Amino acid sequence: MDRPERRTVGRAVPDDDTERHDRPVAEQADRTEQRAPHETSEARDYRAAFHVSRLAMALLDREGTVLDANDALGALLGTGTGALADQAAADLLDLASDTRTWHAYREALDSLRARFRCTRRLKHPDGRTLWAEVTVAPVPDTDRVLLSVTDISDRRELQARLRHLQQHDPVTRLPNRTLFFERLAAALESSAPGDGPFEGGGGTYGSRTYATGAAAYGTGIAYGVASAAASSSAAAASYSARGHDRASGPGRTPGRGPGRGNGRVDGRTGRIGLCYLDLDGFKAVNDTLGHRTGDRLLAAVAGRLTECADHGGYTRSGGHLVARLGGDEFAILVEDSTGTEQLADLARSVLAALQRPFDLAGQRLSVSASIGVVERAVEGTTPTGLMQAADTTLYWAKADGKARWTLFDPERNAHRMTRQALTSALRPAVEREEFVLQYQPLVGMADGIVRGVEALVRWNHPQFGTLSPNRFIGIAEEDGSIVQLGGWVLRTACRQARRWQLDHPGAQPLFVSVNVAVRQVWDSDLVGDVAGILAETGLSPHLLQLELTESAVMGSAGRPLQALQALSDMGVRIAIDDFGTGYSNLAYLSRLPVSVLKLDGSFVRGFRYDEGVHPSPADETIVEALIQLAHRLGLTVTAECVETSGQAARLQRIGCDTGQGWLFSRPVAPERIAEMIAAVSPNGV
Ligand code: C2E
Ligand code: MG
Ligand code: MG
């Protein structure tokens, strides 16, 4: 770059003339007089005005060299006026440190622009920092250029203070929402796509994976081979162990590990983390102890959060940003996070820090907080996306019982998101028949022989994979597509049951139990449909059982009751599904054309003697009484969710007729049922 060698103002020139600007005007005028004896009086007046002006000024030549400077400039720069002559203005005012400024300045010197203005940060010889507004303008019809400098330090400081006020919360002195979002946006922008080690942007979600359906289970079925109740049987014992294992609920796979992104030399990890926190029950503090105490508490909480954030490690930009987003909501932003573990540690330390009681002007207060934790690759992340995830996660933390941290779980989130997506996809999916049926054996408790199977529908969604009915049956009931779907299920199940029967003529035929939604009874000609399907498939009515929920049959009068009666008259069995979850009156039920009660799984769960779980004798007493009463009313009882051999043994002892559950088999594909039938069929078919 074509420019003079730079010198900083701070070490610029000897201070031999510092006092001159304080001298009387007359004396200063004398000096200028000496310099230009040939000048007109008008020019002398201007020169005098130039020198006494409080505006710091200098006359430059076209090269930018100082020809003359006034005392105000000498004072402003702290160099004294005399020392300024013959200096390059660019050096004095740091005009050459960036290319754009330098070019604009050169253009002004060359009269290519009428004026150039910039703000420079200068170092005064006394050590302080100076903000100067520099204006450079060619003097028309001369080869001179006028430079003027205004000290705008006070204005800058005021602006900075105002900005600080705008960006900070007066109660806690923490950065507020505005600053938080500025920093968040900057953090997401500063990590350019593709410049990290995280191509593809996936990564350490620390996601939870829930134990899923049937796939690995339901192999050897206690089909006429061993009594399910015989807890000593090896098969039953092994089912018990596995069933118990699976039944222990959601499993969790660890995140792909923290520190994976630490390999970058510049300390950037290409990842970002956020703890989004909300105090539990803060409103009560405000309401009962007043806003002053509330404010004090918020300030004290802010202090503890800042401590945690400071101990939580430093990023390029210092500690983690702690901000108050409003009310009792805070956020800790972790730039260049190293993985979920770092965020989890931070969240744990925050919960621990808040657990210590607060002493607020003599009042001891305890609070807890709920924290939503999100950690992800910067690439592909937007401020809105991150905040929405944090918000959802915080909501989960609250819903899961407060006083805890919860990690963002893409699966759980997908669940929430997909409800909407599923709603719009459901009808076309019914048309395209994207559904399949699985069948779960219904086993005689006394002999372990499979009597029938329940048909359970699954949706093979092209995007979301196999979906369980709990995900879409509710939606289908809401939008009415259950009528069409239910019709398909009924036809497919009946056709399948008939197929098994035809393929295995030597075996005792299995009945098929089909779930029927309330709307199918109300909004479609269920009786006509069933009759048509039975005729079409050739399945005998006594091999069909329909499962309706209590709410579908309770209070039935008119059409539903007539429908149930007609079906029953046809020879089709009606079962009450999930019995015990509603408020059915058993005596009333017995007057309906119902022949089977399917006891809800929650009853059977109280039976877990054998796993060392505290038994629930009350449940057992209730179930025993229920079964006896049902029998007296001419109903048979099927227990759902039989998972252990211990449960099976007790159910058998108290007279339960049929059982269904993982102990016997998970719901399986029709081919597996066919194999089962073949295995026990006397002639192997
Ligand atoms: P449901 O009719 O009570 O079916 C039994 C549910 O319990 C099935 O869940 C089954 O997989 C599950 N289950 C079976 N054994 C065990 C066990 O030992 N332990 C535990 N914890 N669970 C067990 P699935 O297949 O997810 O079906 C859920 C519900 O969706 C069904 O409950 C039923 O109400 C509904 N559903 C399924 N298929 C249809 C259908 O075709 N039409 C209608 N309207 N509803 C259906
Ligand atoms: Mg059912
Ligand atoms: Mg059920």
Side-chain angles (χ1 to χ4, degrees):
M1 201 190 299
D2 170 27
R3 62 177 180 82
E5 187 196 322
R6 280 187 59 218
R7 275 176 284 156
T8 61
V9 176
R11 55 179 173 79
V13 271
D15 190 2
D16 60 352
D17 215 6
T18 8
E19 261 120 58
R20 190 166 292 174
H21 68 287
D22 288 326
R23 290 181 197 164
V25 172
E27 201 180 312
Q28 293 183 21
D30 282 354
R31 181 165 59 88
T32 56
E33 204 109 8
Q34 283 162 16
R35 278 197 183 175
H38 56 280
E39 275 177 343
T40 62
S41 70
E42 192 185 7
R44 268 201 304 277
D45 287 348
Y46 275 119
R47 182 174 290 281
F50 172 84
H51 276 283
V52 299
S53 169
R54 296 181 61 164
L55 175 62
M57 287 185 285
L59 268 179
L60 313 179
D61 65 14
R62 294 288 176 176
E63 291 306 309
T65 309
V66 175
L67 299 173
D68 197 2
N70 69 1
D71 292 339
L73 184 63
L76 188 145
L77 297 178
T79 58
T81 317
L84 296 176
D86 301 327
Q87 297 277 340
D91 282 353
L92 295 170
L93 297 165
D94 191 25
L95 299 175
S97 59
D98 71 273
T99 321
R100 263 181 65 190
T101 305
W102 171 246
H103 280 301
Y105 169 60
R106 290 296 320 177
E107 280 174 7
L109 291 181
D110 295 340
S111 293
L112 294 175
R113 59 161 77 208
R115 175 196 288 262
F116 157 69
R117 179 175 285 169
C118 67
T119 302
R120 310 310 286 165
R121 186 164 176 260
L122 306 173
K123 193 100 180 120
H124 195 274
D126 70 8
R128 74 196 148 90
T129 296
L130 194 75
W131 283 95
E133 187 178 83
V134 180
T135 308
V136 179
V139 182
D141 306 324
T142 70
D143 56 358
R144 303 288 160 89
V145 177
L146 183 66
L147 170 100
S148 59
V149 184
T150 317
D151 182 351
I152 56 162
S153 304
D154 289 348
R155 203 202 311 163
R156 288 286 297 217
E157 198 186 319
L158 189 65
Q159 276 172 347
R161 232 183 286 160
L162 280 175
R163 205 171 139 71
H164 189 271
L165 281 178
Q166 278 165 3
Q167 293 185 326
H168 288 77
D169 158 50
V171 174
T172 60
R173 294 169 199 269
L174 287 179
N176 63 11
R177 214 178 164 79
T178 312
L179 181 52
F180 173 80
F181 278 100
E182 253 174 47
R183 276 278 293 274
L184 175 60
L188 293 177
E189 259 166 34
S190 70
S191 190
D195 71 352
F198 296 105
E199 302 82 18
T204 338
Y205 273 119
S207 67
R208 284 137 200 231
T209 311
Y210 289 91
T212 47
Y217 285 80
T219 42
I221 291 173
Y223 179 62
V225 179
S227 164
S231 52
S232 58
S233 106
S238 98
Y239 275 119
S240 163
R242 286 197 262 161
H244 181 42
D245 187 16
R246 299 294 284 190
S248 64
R252 191 176 161 177
T253 53
R256 264 194 280 153
R260 191 172 146 258
N262 262 345
R264 282 172 62 147
V265 195
D266 59 359
R268 311 297 313 263
T269 64
R271 303 191 68 79
I272 193 159
L274 178 68
C275 284
Y276 185 33
L277 173 151
D278 183 295
L279 299 183
D280 301 324
F282 176 72
K283 194 178 170 304
V285 174
N286 251 352
D287 290 350
T288 53
L289 303 173
H291 285 258
R292 278 179 66 139
T293 310
D295 283 358
R296 280 201 200 112
L297 178 62
L298 289 174
V301 166
R304 301 235 178 125
L305 294 182
T306 308
E307 276 170 33
C308 292
D310 287 349
H311 289 135
Y314 282 83
T315 60
R316 278 175 317 118
S317 46
H320 306 314
L321 178 81
V322 183
R324 181 182 175 206
L325 300 189
D328 57 347
E329 281 172 31
F330 298 86
I332 306 179
L333 183 69
V334 179
E335 292 181 48
D336 297 305
S337 63
T338 56
T340 49
E341 212 35 56
Q342 183 187 16
L343 269 292
D345 285 346
L346 181 59
R348 274 190 283 265
S349 74
V350 166
L351 288 182
L354 295 184
Q355 235 166 31
R356 283 181 280 128
F358 291 88
D359 208 340
L360 305 173
Q363 259 170 330
R364 266 169 91 80
L365 267 185
S366 292
V367 287
S368 66
S370 304
I371 311 178
V373 177
V374 185
E375 202 281 334
R376 51 177 59 170
V378 165
E379 197 183 334
T381 297
T382 61
T384 324
L386 189 73
M387 291 315 292
Q388 268 171 1
D391 194 53
T392 304
T393 316
L394 173 59
Y395 172 77
W396 292 338
K398 292 258 179 209
D400 291 349
K402 302 183 179 169
R404 71 195 56 224
W405 65 274
T406 299
L407 187 64
F408 179 74
D409 177 349
E411 221 176 276
R412 193 169 172 184
N413 190 48
H415 200 289
R416 189 181 66 96
M417 306 272 287
T418 48
R419 189 175 165 87
Q420 216 178 353
L422 292 184
T423 306
S424 51
L426 190 59
R427 266 183 187 280
V430 174
E431 315 249 301
R432 283 196 299 268
E433 300 195 355
E434 282 176 5
F435 299 86
V436 290
L437 293 186
Q438 286 188 335
Y439 300 87
Q440 188 176 29
L442 296 152
V443 180
M445 294 304 296
D447 53 13
I449 293 178
V450 178
R451 301 290 152 81
V453 290
E454 178 176 1
L456 295 160
V457 67
R458 276 88 182 89
W459 182 359
N460 283 336
H461 192 286
Q463 203 183 335
F464 303 124
T466 304
L467 301 177
S468 82
N470 296 332
R471 300 280 294 274
F472 59 85
I473 290 289
I475 303 173
E477 291 199 45
E478 271 167 36
D479 78 353
S481 50
I482 191 70
V483 172
Q484 200 183 341
L485 177 61
W488 178 86
V489 170
L490 193 63
R491 177 170 291 105
T492 310
C494 290
R495 204 177 278 158
Q496 183 60 63
R498 179 69 177 149
R499 185 80 268 143
W500 287 320
Q501 194 184 3
L502 294 175
D503 288 351
H504 306 276
Q508 182 72 29
L510 298 183
F511 72 87
V512 68
S513 193
V514 178
N515 294 283
V516 174
V518 194
R519 271 186 93 148
Q520 283 175 268
V521 187
W522 278 102
D523 297 358
S524 70
D525 176 16
L526 186 64
V527 182
D529 289 350
V530 169
I533 288 168
L534 290 177
E536 175 194 317
T537 57
L539 188 73
S540 154
H542 77 268
L543 291 179
L544 177 62
Q545 172 173 298
L546 298 179
E547 299 189 11
L548 288 102
T549 54
E550 288 175 50
S551 54
V553 293
M554 277 302 286
S556 299
R559 185 173 167 152
L561 186 57
Q562 283 166 15
L564 293 187
Q565 195 59 58
L567 290 163
S568 173
D569 292 346
M570 224 187 271
V572 173
R573 259 203 316 277
I574 308 293
I576 301 300
D577 202 357
D578 305 332
F579 181 79
T581 52
Y583 302 94
S584 309
N585 175 327
L586 201 54
Y588 172 78
L589 273 183
S590 70
R591 288 199 291 274
L592 299 176
V594 168
S595 44
V596 180
L597 286 190
K598 290 192 75 180
L599 273 190
D600 188 65
S602 52
F603 285 106
V604 180
R605 238 163 259 141
F607 277 41
R608 307 194 60 158
Y609 260 43
D610 45 345
E611 274 80 36
V613 179
H614 188 67
S616 171
D619 275 353
E620 197 173 326
T621 313
I622 291 170
V623 175
E624 190 169 1
L626 263 179
I627 292 174
Q628 282 170 7
L629 188 57
H631 283 168
R632 245 176 262 156
L633 295 168
L635 301 167
T636 60
V637 180
T638 302
E640 297 183 344
C641 292
V642 184
E643 294 177 352
T644 71
S645 50
Q647 289 171 331
R650 305 190 81 77
L651 284 166
Q652 189 203 24
R653 198 157 54 233
I654 59 178
C656 183
D657 307 284
T658 322
Q660 174 183 3
W662 299 342
L663 171 68
F664 311 110
S665 169
R666 297 254 168 178
V668 293
E671 299 78 43
R672 300 280 304 111
I673 301 288
E675 283 168 28
M676 255 172 37
I677 301 170
V680 295
S681 182
N683 52 10
V685 284

